[in-house]
Amino acid sequence: MNQPIESKTTAEDTVSEAQAAFDAMSVPQQRAAVFRLQGSRETVEAFAVAFILALLFRAFIAEAFVIPTGSMAPALMGAHKDIFCDQCGQQFPIGASLENRTPALENAVVGGICPNCRHVNSLDLANDPNQQTFSGDRILVSKFAYTLKEPQRWDVIVFKVPVNPKQNYIKRLVGLPGETVSIRHGDIYARPNSEAAKADQPGDIDGSDFDRIENIGQIQRKPPEKLLAMSHLVYDSNHQAKALLDANYPSRLQPWQPGQSTAPENSWKVTASPDGLTATVQAEGDQTQWLRYYHRFPTESQWRDAIAGGSLADIDPQSGRLITDFYAYDAYLHVDSDRVYDLKPAPGASLFKRLLGQSRTAGVFKSNYESGGDLAQFRGTVVYGGSNHGSEGIHWVGDLIVTQDIETSGDAKQLHLEIVEAGVRHLCHIDLQTGNATLSLEMGRSSAEPQSFKFDGNDNLSPTAQTSIRAGQRHAIRFSNADNQLTLWVDDEVITFETPTTFDFAAIVPPDQNQPQYDGAGNPLDAAPVAIGVSGGSAELHQMLIQRDKYYIAVNNSNDGMLDYDMGRLRRFVGAGSQADEIVRDIQILMGEPTIWSEFPGWEARRTVSFRMDEDQFFPMGDNSPESLDARCWAGNKTRLGMYQSPDEDAYKFADVSYVPRDLLVGKALLVFWPHPWKKPLPFWPNLDRMQRIK
């Protein structure tokens, strides 16, 4: 029989009760206890190692971030609303970050403007959970990316913002160490600092100082993948508004022939329905039958008439306006939250609701708030956006990307694609029998031969390439004029030309003459900047999708708003006492009046701004140029506003500079791994389309 083991003691120590209990166990029991202890210890060690590895991974490899604002929209979105237009069905996001700028909800976003049909959508905040405010995208950032290689232009980077090194910012990298980067007419230019130049000091370059403008270097072109990722919707023929169809609003796609002030007969026939638009043509002989896109959309009053059942048939089908830097994301309509809520939504949503993309409690709506009703209920207190760009853009954009889904008959001969900028026709001619594509740059439509211009390279008038396009087939053909380069895609594959497709636009149109052109209905040029033509045989156009390139606004402070224009010169033109918002409204009206474009002095008053980057200095900007606090204008903000509040001498070491030092780089943004989920048809419906690599 086992005898109890007595507790042994010494003069210096006493056996613990735990040891005594262990000693009292049988040998098998002692072994089992040891195994249990070792298993528990291994579990604890495993958790400790995993925790340490997670910390090391977060510190040195990758980290997750939540996008707080819309400065990188629409590629990356902060707090926002996801909308499907109640007229044409186009999906688009609008910003709602201003709802989170204060703990108490001071402003409520109640509407947004569709980028396709420009209908003002009133949001049903009370009844449609998918129209509530979603939190920003959750992204994964590689902290190791720039250990192995240098940051590249157009990367999306995360960094500690120089004006407050405790705060992370995310922007796109556009300026690199050792160069002077310049912004002109929405594009990015750069030259090495080592090159001799007259413009030694960065800053504003007046639109009339062309000697200095010539020294801003080479235009920086976006790779095709970046160009598409950074583009903005202008028009999608697949989304047609029933109210406009019922009101006989003229289609934006119209048959056209050079020199004719009215639409030709026996040309393209356009058929539109709420399901989309098709256009067909029978092009006999060698004459090209043209279909043009006239950039036009209803005004608010015309929308009211159409919805009320009125007619819009008297609108000139060949009227057009300029394509501008309109940002649907910035076209959020907001009011004082007291007009919407009795009890305002407040911070403190549960973890589950935060996972659903909701950052605030629901709140209690006012009894007289008509959710989803006419915005006239707010009696003129609705504010359009957070800048002067809310209702419509104010800078002309000539860089366009056009995708056309077209099917031709077996006897069709030629397909012609055209994009106009500053009166210059950027053309792609495709021989449907051989698949050969030829590019050209031309100006003029008179009976005489048009003037042709060279691409980069020796005597490079007509770059050519072989494509898979043939008569009798259907293809999605994308053609772009962006960053002084023509690019062609066939079924999403970029076509490689035998000679360069880049060109020096300043050699074709000098900077002091770079402005939109209009030569009447027979030659609308920039008022109808996109066209497709077919010769021989028949064709059917199933879709036309038009996007615009990014437009970077040339500013180095935000005192007069985010505007390219030298406001002093414009005030001298319109009146010394004019306010910036009044000038902006006048510019927006002018964009729709082609006959007076030539009289506008603002084209020459557009600024060029330059910034010098020395070693280990980087220049980032936000994709959402009108509403991005970035390297263009953050320098000196702390000084001007008296916001130095740290006893640490180095806390604001870089607060007065227009760059990010290498030491403040955090990493490269890789992917959106968790966008907001939808709240219906199920409360946690995944938003798979938005889970994507960041380009």
Side-chain angles (χ1 to χ4, degrees):
M1 185 175 75
N2 293 333
Q3 297 295 323
I5 300 175
E6 295 182 1
S7 178
K8 300 177 181 179
T9 61
T10 67
E12 299 179 358
D13 192 19
T14 301
V15 176
S16 68
E17 292 183 4
Q19 182 64 48
F22 180 78
D23 292 341
M25 295 179 181
S26 65
V27 172
Q29 290 175 327
Q30 289 178 343
R31 289 177 178 174
V34 169
F35 290 151
R36 286 196 299 271
L37 180 62
Q38 289 176 337
S40 300
R41 184 173 63 189
E42 289 173 357
T43 300
V44 172
E45 288 176 349
F47 276 112
V49 170
F51 181 71
I52 293 171
L53 289 176
L55 291 179
L56 290 174
F57 185 86
R58 181 180 184 273
F60 300 106
I61 308 298
E63 183 176 355
F65 291 87
V66 178
I67 304 296
T69 71
S71 68
M72 282 295 294
L76 299 173
M77 294 185 287
H80 65 285
K81 297 177 182 290
D82 237 324
I83 302 174
F84 290 84
C85 178
D86 57 23
Q87 289 294 325
C88 74
Q90 178 68 52
Q91 181 184 2
F92 63 100
I94 58 172
S97 299
L98 85 167
E99 293 187 345
N100 294 336
R101 290 175 185 169
T102 56
L105 184 71
E106 300 297 334
N107 295 280
V109 175
V110 295
I113 303 175
C114 174
N116 186 51
C117 69
R118 299 299 176 92
H119 175 62
V120 177
N121 287 253
S122 176
L123 302 183
D124 190 356
L125 303 180
N127 303 307
D128 188 344
N130 279 339
Q131 292 191 351
Q132 297 173 6
T133 297
F134 294 111
S135 58
D137 290 334
R138 287 169 169 80
I139 67 169
L140 190 66
V141 175
S142 169
K143 295 185 172 183
F144 194 62
Y146 298 138
T147 302
L148 300 177
K149 67 176 184 178
E150 281 290 289
Q152 302 296 306
R153 198 186 316 274
W154 311 121
D155 281 357
V156 177
I157 62 173
V158 174
F159 55 92
K160 302 292 183 181
V161 62
V163 297
N164 182 7
K166 294 182 178 181
Q167 186 173 7
N168 292 310
Y169 268 33
I170 183 167
K171 308 290 180 187
R172 195 175 294 276
L173 178 59
V174 299
L176 300 175
E179 68 182 19
T180 295
V181 62
S182 299
I183 311 169
R184 183 180 75 183
H185 299 172
D187 292 324
I188 303 299
Y189 293 78
R191 63 173 175 83
N193 292 337
S194 58
E195 290 184 0
K198 297 178 183 179
D200 291 328
Q201 297 299 321
D204 287 347
I205 300 177
D206 189 294
S208 62
D209 192 352
F210 296 114
D211 287 338
R212 293 183 68 195
I213 286 179
E214 292 302 322
N215 293 290
I216 63 176
Q218 300 295 317
I219 193 168
Q220 301 303 304
R221 298 182 172 95
K222 307 172 194 71
E225 182 183 60
K226 298 287 185 180
L227 178 65
L228 295 178
M230 297 166 66
S231 64
H232 293 259
L233 176 67
V234 173
Y235 173 70
D236 186 350
S237 67
N238 275 356
H239 293 274
Q240 300 289 321
K242 185 177 185 301
L244 297 184
L245 298 176
D246 293 342
N248 293 315
Y249 182 79
S251 170
R252 298 193 212 179
L253 297 180
Q254 292 289 326
W256 172 88
Q257 282 297 326
Q260 294 188 18
S261 58
T262 58
E265 298 180 358
N266 301 320
S267 185
W268 288 86
K269 305 298 182 185
V270 178
T271 304
S273 74
D275 295 327
L277 176 149
T278 58
T280 58
V281 67
Q282 178 64 50
E284 299 179 356
D286 293 329
Q287 183 182 16
T288 300
Q289 298 292 342
W290 289 96
L291 183 70
R292 296 207 76 86
Y293 169 78
Y294 290 82
H295 187 56
R296 170 179 27 83
F297 44 82
T299 64
E300 284 193 54
S301 61
Q302 290 169 342
W303 262 115
R304 286 194 293 270
D305 291 343
I307 292 173
S311 173
L312 299 178
D314 59 346
I315 293 174
D316 182 2
Q318 292 187 320
S319 60
R321 58 184 298 121
L322 290 178
I323 294 174
T324 68
D325 61 335
F326 172 75
Y327 286 77
Y329 193 90
D330 299 342
Y332 48 89
L333 280 61
H334 56 96
V335 299
D336 191 302
S337 59
D338 288 329
R339 295 182 174 273
V340 177
Y341 297 99
D342 275 330
L343 179 62
K344 300 178 184 179
S350 66
L351 175 61
F352 179 71
K353 289 186 175 180
R354 290 200 299 274
L355 289 174
L356 289 177
Q358 183 176 334
S359 58
R360 289 176 176 266
T361 59
V364 177
F365 292 98
K366 297 183 73 70
S367 59
N368 62 348
Y369 166 56
E370 185 183 350
S371 184
D374 195 324
L375 295 179
Q377 65 182 295
F378 298 112
R379 301 180 181 179
T381 62
V382 177
V383 178
Y384 283 70
S387 67
N388 292 325
H389 293 244
S391 59
E392 172 55 35
I394 55 176
H395 302 105
W396 162 52
V397 180
D399 285 8
L400 304 177
I401 308 114
V402 184
T403 305
Q404 292 159 121
D405 180 355
I406 188 165
E407 184 176 6
T408 59
S409 63
D411 58 343
K413 297 179 180 178
Q414 294 278 337
L415 181 65
H416 309 276
L417 311 176
E418 178 180 313
I419 297 174
V420 178
E421 180 179 10
V424 178
R425 302 169 63 210
H426 303 70
L427 293 157
C428 178
H429 312 276
I430 301 173
D431 187 323
L432 295 175
Q433 300 303 312
T434 66
N436 190 61
T438 305
L439 305 180
S440 63
L441 301 169
E442 299 178 4
M443 184 180 292
R445 286 188 180 274
S446 63
S447 57
E449 285 294 322
Q451 184 179 4
S452 297
F453 303 95
K454 293 181 180 180
F455 292 81
D456 294 337
N458 296 327
D459 298 323
N460 185 16
L461 270 176
S462 303
T464 60
Q466 190 63 37
T467 75
S468 61
I469 302 172
R470 296 293 188 275
Q473 299 177 352
R474 178 174 175 176
H475 293 280
I477 305 173
R478 183 182 297 122
F479 180 50
S480 73
N481 163 43
D483 302 327
N484 295 355
Q485 180 175 21
L486 301 187
T487 306
L488 179 68
W489 294 255
V490 176
D491 299 325
D492 289 328
E493 293 293 330
V494 177
I495 301 301
T496 301
F497 282 78
E498 296 176 359
T499 54
T501 64
T502 58
F503 51 90
D504 181 3
F505 198 66
I508 301 172
V509 179
D512 60 336
Q513 300 173 28
N514 189 327
Q515 62 185 64
Q517 300 292 322
Y518 179 74
D519 193 23
N523 194 19
L525 298 173
D526 291 280
V530 172
I532 183 171
V534 174
S535 59
S538 62
E540 181 173 4
L541 179 71
H542 297 275
Q543 181 189 19
M544 180 179 285
L545 173 67
I546 302 176
Q547 298 161 285
R548 68 166 179 86
D549 188 16
K550 192 72 59 187
Y551 189 98
Y552 288 109
I553 300 172
V555 296
N556 61 7
N557 64 73
S558 55
N559 295 341
D560 257 332
M562 302 299 284
L563 307 170
D564 255 6
Y565 307 101
D566 181 332
M567 298 303 284
R569 294 184 63 183
L570 289 186
R571 285 190 177 96
R572 290 192 292 272
F573 174 74
V574 301
S578 301
Q579 299 298 312
D581 57 346
E582 296 173 331
I583 296 175
V584 165
R585 284 196 296 270
D586 289 343
I587 293 174
Q588 291 174 335
I589 293 172
L590 176 135
M591 296 290 180
E593 300 290 342
T595 57
I596 60 174
W597 289 345
S598 60
E599 303 172 16
F600 179 49
W603 312 124
E604 296 183 12
R606 287 174 293 174
R607 288 186 294 253
T608 296
V609 295
S610 299
F611 303 85
R612 179 187 175 94
M613 301 296 108
D614 290 325
E615 184 179 358
D616 292 330
Q617 296 176 1
F618 300 87
F619 188 82
M621 289 196 292
D623 281 2
N624 188 353
S625 198
E627 293 200 4
S628 174
L629 178 62
D630 53 40
R632 293 171 298 171
C633 49
W634 69 40
N637 274 352
K638 296 286 183 179
T639 304
R640 288 193 298 270
L641 301 177
M643 295 173 64
Y644 288 104
Q645 298 177 357
S646 174
D648 185 350
E649 294 182 358
D650 292 332
Y652 299 106
K653 180 179 179 180
F654 301 105
D656 294 329
V657 300
S658 296
Y659 61 81
V660 174
R662 186 182 296 272
D663 290 348
L664 294 187
L665 291 179
V666 173
K668 179 181 179 180
L670 295 180
L671 56 91
V672 178
F673 73 88
W674 187 250
H676 76 78
W678 296 107
K679 298 182 179 180
K680 63 178 186 180
L682 295 174
F684 203 69
W685 194 258
N687 192 352
L688 299 178
D689 289 342
R690 288 279 303 147
M691 295 180 184
Q692 57 190 336
R693 181 169 61 90
I694 296 172
K695 302 175 184 177

